[in-house]
Amino acid sequence: MRATDGEPTAQDRGLVGRTHELAAVRQALVSGTGSGALLTGEPGVGKSRLLSAALDETEAGGASVVRITATPSWQDVPFGSVPWFAPPDDAGLAGAFRLAKQGLTAGRPAVVGIDDVNWLDDASAALLERLLTDGVVKVFATVRSNAANTPIVALMRRAGALDRIDVPPLDRAGHDDLVTAVLGGPVSGLALDALWRTTLGNPLFVRETLRAAVAERSLLPQEGVWNWRPGGPATPRLYDAVELTVGVLSDEEAAALACVAYAEPLRPAVLDRLVAPMVAEQLEERGLIRLVDHGAGVLVRLGHPLFGEAIRARTKPLRRRRLLRELVEAMQGDAASVEDRIRVMSWRCEADLPFDLGEVLAAADAALDRGGAALAERLARSIPGPMGAWYLGRAQVALGRSQDAEPLLATAYARLDAPVLRARAAALRALNLFWGLRQPDVALSLLEEAHRQLPESVHGEMLVAGAGIAVFSKSDVNAAFAVAAALQEPPQEPLLAVALTPLLPFVLVYAGAPRQAAAQLADSVLPQPTWPTMRAATQACHIHALVMCGRLEEAAPLAERYYQDAVAHGSPDGVGLLAMMVGICHGDRGRVEQAARWTNEALAVTDARTLFPIRANILGMQAWWAAHQGRAERATQAMAAVDELLPADSRSGDYARLARALLLASTGRPAAAVEVLRDLAEQFVGAGVVSSAMEALHLWSRVEPSAEVAAEVRRVAQMSDSPLFSWFAEYADVLADADPDRLEALSLSWEQRSYTTLALEAAVRAWQARPDAEQRASERLLRRIAKLRDRCDGYWPGWLVEPVAVAGLTRREREVCALAATGLSNAEISVRLVLSVRTVENHLQRAYDKLGIRQRGQLADALHDADGWRHPDDRPGAARAEG
């Protein structure tokens, strides 16, 4: 990664996301209606960069360019904005004009660029007005939007009829491109979303926020993906940039802006009670606050989120306390919505004002139901006694803080009076102990104790905990009964209810009923974001069910949509889970590189605090895709991490076990792979885990086709409602028969169903099964193999013999070789083509084999011999660079 020191790179200094605006500036220069252009926009949107880029292009095109940066300090000094121009004191304006004209029109068109044109001194403005009026120069200028109608700007616009070009903040795509360009590598969706919410596409704020985050190491590359975990203090430099943008505020304006910073969004009527209307109007004119539509009315918000962050960071505790008290008083009788009542109660608690306990409990419940676990946490800290421990523990669970939640839930279970609340505390604590802290024995002992101590009438509240533990233990038979029992007596506690939602579809998918699970989830309403991780788990179950049914084209866009939903709710565990599912959709369609990249993001956003089933599955998928790529060391490390993570008797990590077999098969040990797969299939079938059993058998049938394994695939497929498993059974039969016509037909079918890797495998098997005499059919298959291989990111099943007759380079191999022949390193090629370095190495090695060479230095000649390729420096008159 390039931005390790927090400074932007050369690539960053280019324009990103400004294609439309730059084209408008070019148009104004070439055939505009006036004598140039006026770039207007809010502070920090990149007007100066855009002006500089346009002037650079103009200068490169042969025009004479003069650059002026006007400043308020020199506004009262005649010609202070143009220090390079100093006419004699007795020259007068007419003499100054003649001198300037002579200096600017030396046989070339003249263009004057003016940054912050509103700060021009009167003499410079008068001179430029005359130069514009006489057509001597064209002017490109910038000005803040709120200064676009000042007298000097109006003078320039009248004199030159300048085209006004508004420069807005970057849109979301441009923002994401800029962040990626600055950091020089992939960025997690969670980090991109947090940066977008913070900066709203203002390029200055994007750069300063990134610089601050990199400097304080809250933004780091993990698993090759930049990820940002907000929460660390921002550097003063960021807040200085914000304050420079805001400008000088009067005491009344500063006080008003602080009110909005703590209360937004608020109704204008409430703001009128807090600040003088004239002050509010001044803030609006300066772009520091804005009105936004909201239903039938409007609300007041800050002009930019960072204004609020800067104000809140520098507000002292006593001042903040007084502000909150003023807000509570101003909102009296005006908190009509649930959201308003929650906020007012939060202010009341934080300002140490008296409150009604019942109202605080209701506000905390409402905040949690709406996905506001952080707000529920703040409210809970004001609740005394064991009830406070219960409410705070619930919030910590929803926030993914298992360690922090444990002592609070233990206190609530031991000290709450109501048996029903104690039962709920026991159930949530048991799930937290098992999923979060990997202590199954402690969790089960807690449930047994609670059943002994609490009345039978509240035992139903704890059924979901037993089900949650059973689902991730080795036997799905017990899990199905446990989930069914919990559904008969669904819990009333919102967190437990959300935790129950994904359990049945999860069991159905693994028990061989993915079609039933998919139908159930398609007809259901997603759970509220009370516990965002459980909402994401339900979404992941839906994607998994569709994938297990063979509905890849339906699953892929839905996975992307669910991923964005998880990002919007800010749950790292949820984002990791859905990123993994997006990767599965890519990988099953043959995009192995993309699958690995999404899985790396899933690992980057999660950590040791992540619920163990989620983390184990992500690591298992990393091992799975690494085995596809032939990255043995990485796959082995991931499998070891899964083994270390899993508690005793856990059934999670199936893909890590399957990856072990895949790695053996890919590294020339098919017999050892089959032995592992045989054992896994037997274990999975015995535990009722039909889907995992089918995965093992399907891989076995591909590594070592036989009538034996085909019969077993058919038998297990009949236990399931999945069309995909029936396709697997048909494929196993055809592989065992080695019928070239049926194999070729199945290759086409797999391709139509979007399973590109299976289409590739079937095509290779068909080519191997063709008699030598069928040369035309063999050549057709060889071309098809080359095409499919190219679409599979270079993936090649290690158990298949590579057709030696595939002498032609694939498109990707040709691209890699051409770049390597120009002297680029593997790392540079990987950046250029968005591939991993390992994949570049694989492409080169295969190309070496096909071209019959051994060294990089032989590439240029070999490519030329193969198809007439020329090194770019092998042109007439060009000299080949050394090294």
Side-chain angles (χ1 to χ4, degrees):
M1 299 301 172
R2 293 195 294 271
T4 52
D5 60 353
E7 294 298 322
T9 62
Q11 180 180 349
D12 166 44
R13 288 190 285 273
L15 286 174
V16 176
R18 292 302 188 197
T19 304
H20 173 75
E21 290 82 1
L22 192 56
V25 173
R26 293 188 186 114
Q27 184 71 14
L29 176 66
V30 175
S31 58
T33 57
S35 299
L38 180 69
L39 305 177
T40 64
E42 297 304 318
V45 295
K47 303 182 297 297
S48 300
R49 284 174 179 262
L50 187 59
L51 173 67
S52 180
L55 294 176
D56 287 345
E57 284 194 5
T58 302
E59 197 166 33
S64 174
V65 171
V66 175
R67 302 171 194 252
I68 297 172
T69 301
T71 64
S73 302
W74 288 85
Q75 193 175 25
D76 295 331
V77 179
F79 299 110
S81 301
V82 285
W84 42 265
F85 179 68
D89 292 340
D90 58 353
L93 185 60
F97 171 72
R98 286 193 299 272
L99 290 171
K101 184 176 180 180
Q102 291 170 6
L104 290 170
T105 57
R108 294 189 295 168
V111 176
V112 177
I114 313 170
D115 207 7
D116 290 329
V117 63
N118 55 300
W119 294 121
L120 277 177
D121 62 273
D122 291 340
S124 298
L127 175 63
L128 286 167
E129 178 198 19
R130 180 65 185 274
L131 292 170
L132 273 170
T133 302
D134 284 18
V136 177
V137 298
K138 285 198 170 192
V139 166
F140 286 156
T142 72
V143 67
R144 293 187 177 192
S145 296
N146 60 5
N149 295 318
T150 55
I152 287 180
V153 178
L155 182 72
M156 292 291 104
R157 295 189 68 187
R158 282 196 303 269
L162 305 182
D163 294 342
R164 178 167 177 167
I165 301 172
D166 290 323
V167 184
L170 295 170
D171 60 15
R172 180 60 194 265
H175 163 272
D176 291 356
D177 288 344
L178 175 59
V179 173
T180 303
V182 172
L183 296 176
V187 186
S188 76
L190 203 59
L192 287 172
D193 190 70
L195 288 162
W196 170 255
R197 291 171 186 264
T198 300
T199 67
L200 292 184
N202 182 297
L204 171 65
F205 292 159
V206 169
R207 287 182 171 87
E208 290 300 331
T209 302
L210 289 175
R211 188 177 280 113
V214 171
E216 69 191 21
R217 300 185 65 77
S218 60
L219 182 64
L220 292 169
Q222 299 166 296
E223 302 290 337
V225 178
W226 285 87
N227 189 48
W228 184 29
R229 296 184 185 277
T235 61
R237 178 169 171 168
L238 173 59
Y239 291 148
D240 288 343
V242 174
E243 290 180 354
L244 286 171
T245 299
V246 170
V248 178
L249 297 173
S250 68
D251 291 342
E252 293 83 1
E253 289 174 328
L257 205 58
C259 286
V260 181
Y262 277 94
E264 68 169 337
L266 74 164
R267 282 180 286 280
V270 178
L271 184 62
D272 288 343
R273 296 175 202 151
L274 293 163
V275 303
M278 184 175 293
V279 174
E281 291 167 10
Q282 290 169 351
L283 292 175
E284 183 184 20
E285 288 173 2
R286 295 178 60 179
L288 301 179
I289 63 174
R290 57 194 169 95
L291 296 180
V292 295
D293 291 330
H294 181 74
V298 294
L299 294 173
V300 181
R301 280 194 172 277
L302 290 171
H304 195 280
L306 274 176
F307 297 169
E309 285 200 23
I311 291 167
R312 290 188 292 268
R314 297 193 174 180
T315 302
K316 300 298 182 183
L318 288 177
R319 168 67 175 143
R320 179 172 175 274
R321 188 168 179 267
R322 180 165 65 82
L323 264 174
L324 294 177
R325 289 179 173 233
E326 291 173 357
L327 290 172
V328 170
E329 184 177 349
M331 288 286 285
Q332 289 295 334
D334 216 327
S337 68
V338 175
E339 288 78 10
D340 282 345
R341 290 196 292 273
I342 295 171
R343 290 195 300 143
V344 170
M345 185 54 64
S346 172
W347 299 336
R348 183 177 287 277
C349 293
E350 292 180 56
D352 296 324
L353 289 170
F355 58 80
D356 179 84
L357 180 59
E359 291 180 359
V360 176
L361 296 177
D365 282 332
L368 197 60
D369 285 344
R370 285 162 173 73
L375 179 54
E377 177 192 24
R378 293 201 299 273
L379 287 162
R381 293 193 184 280
S382 298
I383 302 171
M387 188 63 77
W390 168 231
Y391 270 73
L392 188 54
R394 295 161 77 222
Q396 300 289 15
V397 167
L399 289 167
R401 302 171 185 165
S402 301
Q403 290 283 358
D404 295 336
E406 162 54 17
L408 295 164
L409 296 176
T411 298
Y413 168 65
R415 295 178 54 197
L416 283 168
D417 293 328
V420 67
L421 290 180
R422 289 193 65 202
R424 292 171 184 173
L428 190 58
R429 185 185 173 204
L431 285 178
N432 188 60
L433 284 165
F434 180 64
W435 286 347
L437 303 182
R438 294 182 294 147
Q439 298 179 19
D441 294 339
V442 179
L444 291 171
S445 297
L446 170 64
L447 291 177
E448 291 172 3
E449 176 189 299
H451 276 86
R452 289 195 306 269
Q453 292 188 0
L454 298 176
E456 189 173 345
S457 59
V458 300
H459 287 184
E461 298 285 342
M462 297 182 286
L463 289 173
V464 63
I469 294 171
V471 163
F472 296 99
S473 298
K474 285 193 174 179
S475 173
D476 266 22
V477 177
N478 294 334
F481 284 116
V483 173
L487 289 169
Q488 290 294 317
E489 296 186 63
Q492 299 304 305
E493 160 58 37
L495 283 175
L496 295 175
V498 173
L500 177 59
T501 308
L503 295 183
L504 179 60
F506 185 93
V507 169
L508 287 173
V509 169
Y510 279 93
R515 177 183 279 182
Q516 183 182 343
Q520 181 189 73
L521 288 166
D523 295 336
S524 66
V525 177
L526 277 173
Q528 291 296 314
T530 308
W531 190 351
T533 301
M534 292 300 109
R535 177 183 173 94
T538 304
Q539 295 168 324
C541 281
H542 193 188
I543 302 302
H544 196 191
L546 293 173
V547 169
M548 287 291 99
C549 288
R551 293 156 64 177
L552 272 182
E553 291 304 306
E554 183 181 350
L558 188 60
E560 296 270 7
R561 198 175 85 206
Y562 282 160
Y563 166 81
Q564 292 299 336
D565 179 76
V567 165
H569 285 99
S571 165
D573 289 5
V575 172
L577 192 54
L578 270 306
M580 178 189 75
M581 298 311 302
V582 173
I584 288 173
C585 292
H586 278 289
D588 283 358
R589 289 183 293 171
R591 302 166 188 167
V592 178
E593 285 283 343
Q594 285 296 310
R597 176 255 179 270
W598 280 99
T599 307
N600 288 344
E601 176 173 340
L603 282 173
V605 300
T606 56
D607 55 27
R609 296 172 296 179
T610 298
L611 303 185
F612 89 82
I614 294 175
R615 185 73 173 173
N617 278 315
I618 294 171
L619 285 164
M621 291 311 306
Q622 185 187 49
W624 181 248
W625 299 125
H628 275 76
Q629 295 171 304
R631 304 180 68 180
E633 183 177 356
R634 190 176 187 86
T636 302
Q637 289 173 348
M639 288 184 285
V642 173
D643 291 340
E644 184 178 341
L645 184 63
L646 294 179
D649 295 327
S650 172
R651 198 195 51 74
S652 296
D654 288 354
Y655 272 98
R657 301 182 180 104
L658 290 167
R660 198 178 307 278
L662 177 60
L663 188 59
L664 288 169
S666 299
T667 53
R669 291 172 286 175
V674 167
E675 185 177 349
V676 171
L677 291 168
R678 190 193 304 270
D679 290 343
L680 286 176
E682 184 178 345
Q683 293 172 25
F684 291 147
V685 171
V689 191
V690 174
S691 293
S692 296
M694 179 54 75
E695 296 266 23
L697 291 167
H698 172 57
L699 182 55
W700 177 4
S701 71
R702 292 157 57 201
V703 173
E704 191 178 86
S706 68
E708 174 198 359
V709 69
E712 187 63 9
V713 174
R714 177 71 62 188
R715 183 181 76 84
V716 174
Q718 291 170 353
M719 302 177 185
S720 171
D721 66 1
S722 168
L724 176 64
F725 294 176
S726 298
W727 302 341
F728 284 171
E730 179 187 12
Y731 188 34
D733 283 337
V734 174
L735 286 171
D737 290 343
D739 183 309
D741 291 328
R742 293 179 66 195
L743 283 167
E744 188 170 356
L746 267 182
S747 175
L748 293 169
S749 295
W750 283 129
E751 185 178 14
Q752 291 167 358
R753 295 164 181 158
S754 299
Y755 289 87
T756 313
T757 53
L758 294 180
L760 170 64
E761 289 186 32
V764 175
R765 294 286 191 183
W767 174 80
Q768 289 176 321
R770 285 286 176 198
D772 293 339
E774 298 180 7
Q775 184 175 355
R776 182 173 297 178
S778 294
E779 290 176 351
R780 180 184 67 246
L781 282 168
L782 289 173
R783 289 192 297 271
R784 176 169 175 74
I785 291 166
K787 181 191 74 171
L788 290 170
R789 182 174 188 170
D790 201 34
R791 288 171 53 192
C792 290
D793 291 343
Y795 163 70
W796 185 265
W799 52 89
L800 292 180
V801 176
E802 187 165 356
V804 293
V806 186
L809 301 181
T810 67
R811 176 182 58 81
R812 182 65 87 188
E813 289 167 353
R814 190 176 300 276
E815 287 176 336
V816 171
C817 288
L819 292 172
T822 64
L824 292 182
S825 68
N826 290 356
E828 290 169 328
I829 295 171
S830 73
V831 172
R832 182 80 62 89
L833 298 181
V834 196
L835 300 171
S836 71
V837 174
R838 178 60 180 269
T839 298
V840 171
E841 293 170 353
N842 290 341
H843 281 310
L844 283 173
Q845 188 56 57
R846 284 194 296 271
Y848 289 172
D849 293 341
K850 292 178 182 180
L851 295 170
I853 63 175
R854 291 188 176 184
Q855 297 177 3
R856 202 182 196 91
Q858 299 173 292
L859 267 174
D861 291 339
L863 288 172
H864 182 270
D865 292 343
D867 59 8
W869 179 87
R870 271 186 153 182
H871 190 286
D873 290 334
D874 286 341
R875 302 181 301 276
R880 176 80 62 89
E882 293 298 324

